[in-house]
Amino acid sequence: MCKRPQIGVSFPRFDGKNKVTGLEKYAADYYDGDFVWAGVKRSEPAHARLLELDAEDARRLPGVLAVLTYRDITGTNRQGIVRKDQPVLVNDKVRRYGDALALILAEDRSVLKQAQSLIEVRQEPLSPVFSVEEALADGAPVIHEDNPHGNILSDLSVQRGMGAAAMESCSVRVEHSFELPRQEHAYLETECGWAHVSESGQLVIVASTQSPFRDRTEVASALGLDPSRIRVIAPYLGGAFGGKDGATVQILLALAALNSGGRPVKMWWDREESFLASVKRLSGRASYRLGADAEGAFHALECTIDLDNGPYEHLGGEVLALAVEHASGPYRIPHTHVRGRCIYTNNPAGGPFRGFGAPQVSAAMEQMVDLLAAKLHMNPLELRSRNAVRQGDRNCVGVTLTQSTGAMDCLERLSRHPLWMERAEWKKGAGSWKRRGVGIACLAHGSGYGPIVPDYANASIELTSKGAFRITCGVSDMGQGNASTYLQIGGYILNQDCDGLELILPDTERTLPSCSSAASRTTYTYANALIGAATALKQRIYEKASDLLMAGSTADFELLPGFVRHLPTGRDVPLSALAKNMAPAERVSVHHWRAPVCKEPVNAKSNTTLLGLPHILFSYAAHLAYVEVDELTGRMEVVRYLAVTDSGRVINPQVYEQQIQGGIVQGIGYGLYEDYKVENGRSGTPDLSTYLAPTALDAPDMESIPVELHEPTGPFGLKGVGEIAISGPLPAAANALADACGVRISRAPFTPERVLAALNQKEDDPF
């Protein structure tokens, strides 16, 4: 039996045993003896007009139940979170390798694969665009004819102060451009789920998803259904990182279930299909100019950010908005001009990925700070400390930082840490043909959706007839442990052991609507709602007990595990007995909570509505990397890593540590290993044998230190930390590489080939 939950004390994951022993059922683990397999015929060219699709041979294949095309869809046949620009099944033209052309229902996967090969597709090839430059060129082929801005999905320009004009009055200036790579989510659990139509006619979808309530709306719109007819259930996810914040298999599964003759249908993408069809971190280019006065005070910043979005929106415009907002990092710069563009191309689709645009610009800005420090002959930590934002400062989009602002606190903690104090000694210990360097980075990350999209959660908690407390939660747990944190909070407020707590995972029929598990807002938002619901139920229990015992005041009661006690007399009432004296409606407490938003206007020009800009709440961090470089092979290793994070109050130190460590390792993958190659729209790294992601063996010794500044709007003072850690490793490693070898590589990842080439080039041109 686990201990009674406390806030600020590690609380073991209540679901851990079932997960490690294989008892927990994920979306892929559901089987039914009568189920049908569903799969997709995917397109080959990157850009073509669909002329004809002949599926008769496939339909005649024994074991094939149906082959469906867009003609079988009575709804909009469009999916997308903001701009619904992706067909569920292609009806006009193909816009990338891997577009879905037809949906096949078959008795088993071998028949399914055979049927896919029997579908004949006739297409008219169209000229593709495979880069931002090609997409913006005069006369470029247009990917979406109905987009009024050609191939520009989003164009956002923000100016503060004198903007770029202030660059001329800077004493010191640096300028550099950075190529930003794609990154694959590579979650353990690929996209999967199953669906069926119940006897009552309800369409039930069980899927690996970050947003079950939004899925229900999207499925209904695409297929022309009444949302009330659809139920979406979201078991635990085996990872998502943003890649499941939008429909993957959901609409296809629903369409299949509606055409399966009443049989349940399963769809499960293998790794290769996941690589082909899923969204990636947006690639692109960031060009920066940073200027300061002679003492190192930042004075002006000018930057342009061009992101390759691929052919479908997938929140690409919102990723860009966050990149623009975070372009200056956690620094005070009075004059800024930031322009970002998100561009349609025929490359693989971009979309949400942990960090949501911030890792791209952090990679650029944090290297710019080191470049400027070198030019000023100044310690890079001192330069950061001189310019780090404090509460009351304005960020680069001109918004006043009114909430807890811990950038300076993180830098101060880092400056006192032995890894920083002893860096020179460690570097001297490099062996033969080795170079050692130390790099740092300072980070900020906004939490939540911004002022336009309501960022809310609804929590429900019930005193069951057996005297336990049942928490129903509509927010997915994609592995970060928020479900256990909800039990921890409920158990703490109601003073109950784990045995007295239950949890219902997201289910649009059993739980209340809440927004997606994303944007570093999952625990921040839902926990605030849960605190309200649990506190109200506690008071109701006291009132009921007071009535039963004819006590004078509810203040004389205390909840204890399994019962409520009247303190003056010592009389106890079991919660099970109390529940029998309450009507079902009395035993349920519901609370709605909506996140605060920034009211300040932003001096922005945009061709679209700005969703996600600006934020009011930010987390902050300071990272340090010890890096060793092999001069003979170019191999670069992050040996030790320190992350100091202003996370607000830490509710569960163990979960906090896991989030930070996971983000660091994923960020090291972004910086050193993961190179999702694309040539002429086709992936050159289509599987895990060619796409190298770090494993536990590649993880450095990591240390994570929380700076627990109290955030007044957070539950118990918490801020979200799901994303901020991933933004640090790339620039910290890049700065460490420059410190070790005197070279700076403009395009990550820093593979041995690129590092060796940079070292050789330096040898050829030492000046």
Side-chain angles (χ1 to χ4, degrees):
M1 183 178 71
C2 68
K3 297 178 181 177
R4 202 168 308 164
Q6 298 295 318
I7 300 302
V9 177
S10 290
F11 176 70
R13 292 196 186 193
F14 80 100
D15 45 26
K17 182 179 179 181
N18 278 356
K19 286 184 173 180
V20 299
T21 57
L23 294 174
E24 188 63 51
K25 274 194 169 186
Y26 291 77
D29 293 327
Y30 289 84
Y31 290 91
D32 186 298
D34 192 36
F35 74 73
V36 175
W37 281 97
V40 171
K41 169 70 175 179
R42 296 195 178 276
S43 64
E44 279 291 332
H47 201 197
R49 192 167 304 286
L50 179 64
L51 301 178
E52 184 179 1
L53 193 149
D54 183 356
E56 290 310 307
D57 288 348
R59 291 192 176 99
R60 284 194 290 268
L61 184 69
V64 171
L65 279 70
V67 179
L68 307 173
T69 70
Y70 71 92
R71 299 181 190 279
D72 299 293
I73 297 175
T74 55
T76 63
N77 186 32
R78 286 292 182 275
Q79 64 185 76
I81 297 172
V82 178
R83 178 178 165 84
K84 296 187 181 301
D85 56 5
Q86 180 178 359
V88 178
L89 295 174
V90 171
N91 64 312
D92 52 2
K93 68 177 189 177
V94 164
R95 296 179 174 87
R96 61 161 178 171
Y97 283 95
D99 267 344
L101 298 173
L103 179 64
I104 305 161
L105 281 68
E107 293 289 353
D108 59 51
R109 298 180 97 171
S110 64
V111 174
L112 185 62
K113 190 171 183 179
Q114 191 177 355
Q116 288 169 333
S117 67
L118 293 175
I119 296 175
E120 298 289 337
V121 183
R122 194 163 68 86
Q123 300 168 97
E124 174 192 356
L126 299 173
S127 298
V129 288
F130 292 134
S131 69
V132 167
E133 292 74 20
E134 288 178 21
L136 296 178
D138 290 340
V142 177
I143 296 173
H144 292 279
E145 287 80 1
D146 61 345
N147 182 30
H149 311 290
N151 288 328
I152 299 176
L153 167 62
S154 181
D155 188 344
L156 169 61
S157 180
V158 179
Q159 178 167 319
R160 183 181 172 219
M162 296 170 59
M167 197 65 69
E168 300 307 316
S169 56
C170 294
S171 302
V172 183
R173 291 184 289 273
V174 289
E175 182 173 353
H176 207 83
S177 291
F178 303 88
E179 299 292 328
L180 310 165
R182 287 183 183 79
Q183 188 179 21
E184 169 69 35
H185 296 82
Y187 19 72
L188 286 176
E189 178 199 35
T190 57
E191 296 79 359
C192 61
W194 72 288
H196 71 280
V197 178
S198 70
E199 292 182 359
S200 65
Q202 187 180 45
L203 176 59
V204 181
I205 305 167
V206 181
S208 184
T209 175
Q210 293 175 238
S211 50
F213 285 92
R214 194 173 61 214
D215 289 347
R216 182 173 60 174
T217 305
E218 196 163 359
V219 170
S221 171
L223 301 185
L225 303 174
D226 183 342
S228 65
R229 188 190 165 189
I230 302 169
R231 176 183 179 186
V232 179
I233 300 170
Y236 286 113
L237 287 78
F241 313 115
K244 298 171 184 173
D245 192 11
T248 57
V249 300
Q250 295 90 318
I251 303 174
L252 295 168
L253 269 173
L255 178 62
L258 293 172
N259 291 273
S260 66
R263 296 171 63 182
V265 182
K266 185 168 182 172
M267 175 176 278
W268 187 359
W269 296 356
D270 61 21
R271 184 63 65 184
E272 290 72 23
E273 186 171 18
S274 176
F275 268 52
L276 177 66
S278 67
V279 299
K280 324 296 177 199
R281 185 184 302 285
L282 275 71
S283 64
R285 173 190 288 264
S287 300
Y288 269 65
R289 296 174 70 204
L290 176 63
D293 65 18
E295 285 71 42
F298 293 166
H299 185 66
L301 171 73
E302 180 186 20
C303 64
T304 59
I305 306 157
D306 284 334
L307 299 179
D308 181 344
N309 187 74
Y312 302 116
E313 179 262 349
H314 283 305
L315 291 176
E318 287 62 48
V319 171
L320 175 75
L322 208 77
V324 168
E325 185 182 28
H326 290 70
S328 71
Y331 302 112
R332 185 176 53 254
I333 309 176
H335 307 286
T336 60
H337 180 230
V338 183
R339 185 187 183 190
R341 292 180 296 186
C342 196
I343 310 299
Y344 283 126
T345 69
N346 294 114
N347 286 321
F353 197 137
R354 193 180 201 168
F356 210 80
Q360 289 94 321
V361 292
S362 296
M365 183 63 192
E366 286 305 300
Q367 294 189 70
M368 293 300 294
V369 176
D370 263 39
L371 287 169
L372 191 63
K375 200 159 188 175
L376 287 163
H377 304 292
M378 186 179 288
N379 181 313
L381 178 56
E382 181 185 346
L383 182 60
R384 285 175 170 84
S385 300
R386 192 167 293 189
N387 292 283
V389 289
R390 275 79 163 174
Q391 192 172 33
D393 284 339
R394 292 179 183 270
N395 62 16
C396 76
V397 296
V399 168
T400 308
L401 302 172
T402 58
Q403 305 306 115
S404 58
T405 307
M408 196 59 226
D409 302 81
C410 293
L411 289 168
E412 286 179 350
R413 286 293 295 271
L414 187 147
S415 71
R416 300 196 304 270
H417 195 276
L419 286 178
W420 178 254
M421 303 286 287
E422 300 166 3
R423 63 191 186 286
E425 197 64 27
W426 180 78
K427 287 162 60 176
K428 291 178 185 174
S432 300
W433 303 105
K434 302 283 188 184
R435 295 282 188 91
R436 286 179 170 180
V438 177
I440 59 173
C442 194
L443 313 166
H445 194 91
S447 172
Y449 293 164
I452 295 180
V453 179
D455 186 356
Y456 67 89
N458 290 296
S460 170
I461 184 165
E462 175 188 3
L463 174 63
T464 70
S465 59
K466 294 182 179 178
F469 289 96
R470 179 181 296 144
I471 297 170
T472 60
C473 162
V475 187
S476 300
D477 185 336
M478 53 180 154
Q480 71 270 48
N482 50 296
S484 288
T485 301
Y486 302 149
L487 288 182
Q488 181 178 4
I489 292 171
Y492 169 75
I493 294 173
L494 299 166
N495 200 26
Q496 299 299 302
D497 293 331
C498 297
D499 291 347
L501 303 169
E502 302 173 10
L503 182 73
I504 303 297
L505 292 175
D507 179 337
T508 57
E509 190 165 278
R510 301 183 67 193
T511 61
L512 298 173
S514 290
C515 298
S516 68
S517 180
S520 295
R521 45 78 65 196
T522 305
T523 298
Y524 172 78
T525 310
Y526 183 81
N528 269 318
L530 178 59
I531 290 171
T535 303
L537 181 58
K538 181 179 179 179
Q539 180 61 27
R540 192 174 303 160
I541 287 171
Y542 287 168
E543 291 168 355
K544 200 69 181 181
S546 177
D547 291 343
L548 281 175
L549 298 180
M550 293 185 284
S553 170
T554 59
D556 294 333
F557 286 88
E558 181 178 6
L559 263 171
L560 293 165
F563 58 90
V564 58
R565 172 169 294 169
H566 184 240
L567 297 175
T569 62
R571 288 184 296 173
D572 294 337
V573 180
L575 290 174
S576 56
L578 192 72
K580 292 175 182 174
N581 285 278
M582 299 172 73
E586 289 182 294
R587 292 192 276 110
V588 178
S589 175
V590 173
H591 190 79
H592 172 85
W593 194 83
R594 186 164 171 172
V597 296
C598 179
K599 304 291 186 184
E600 283 188 276
V602 172
N603 182 20
K605 295 179 181 176
S606 175
N607 65 341
T608 60
T609 302
L610 287 178
L611 303 179
L613 181 74
H615 288 85
I616 190 174
L617 179 62
F618 292 83
S619 296
Y620 297 89
H623 284 198
L624 177 150
Y626 271 26
V627 164
E628 188 169 87
V629 181
D630 189 315
E631 294 180 288
L632 299 178
T633 66
R635 183 175 185 272
M636 179 175 165
E637 180 184 5
V638 180
V639 180
R640 296 193 66 178
Y641 203 93
L642 170 66
V644 185
T645 311
D646 164 23
S647 55
R649 174 85 183 278
V650 174
I651 291 179
N652 186 333
Q654 185 182 60
V655 170
Y656 162 83
E657 183 76 21
Q658 290 165 349
Q659 281 293 288
I660 299 299
Q661 290 197 14
I664 291 170
V665 175
Q666 207 164 30
I668 289 174
Y670 186 47
L672 271 67
Y673 296 95
E674 301 183 43
D675 196 3
Y676 192 90
K677 297 178 179 176
V678 176
E679 186 171 355
N680 294 331
R682 186 190 291 271
S683 172
T685 47
D687 52 43
L688 286 175
S689 70
T690 51
Y691 181 81
L692 302 183
T695 69
L697 295 176
D698 302 303
D701 289 336
M702 291 177 278
E703 185 174 350
S704 175
I705 299 174
V707 173
E708 298 189 72
L709 299 182
H710 182 83
E711 169 48 44
T713 65
F716 303 105
L718 167 145
K719 289 195 278 190
V721 292
E723 296 175 277
I724 190 168
I726 197 172
S727 293
L730 194 162
N735 291 334
L737 174 65
D739 182 48
C741 306
V743 299
R744 190 166 293 280
I745 304 173
S746 297
R747 188 192 189 288
F750 309 127
T751 60
E753 294 84 355
R754 290 188 177 128
V755 172
L756 198 58
L759 293 176
N760 291 337
Q761 185 176 358
K762 184 189 176 193
E763 290 294 323
D764 294 340
D765 183 15
F767 303 105

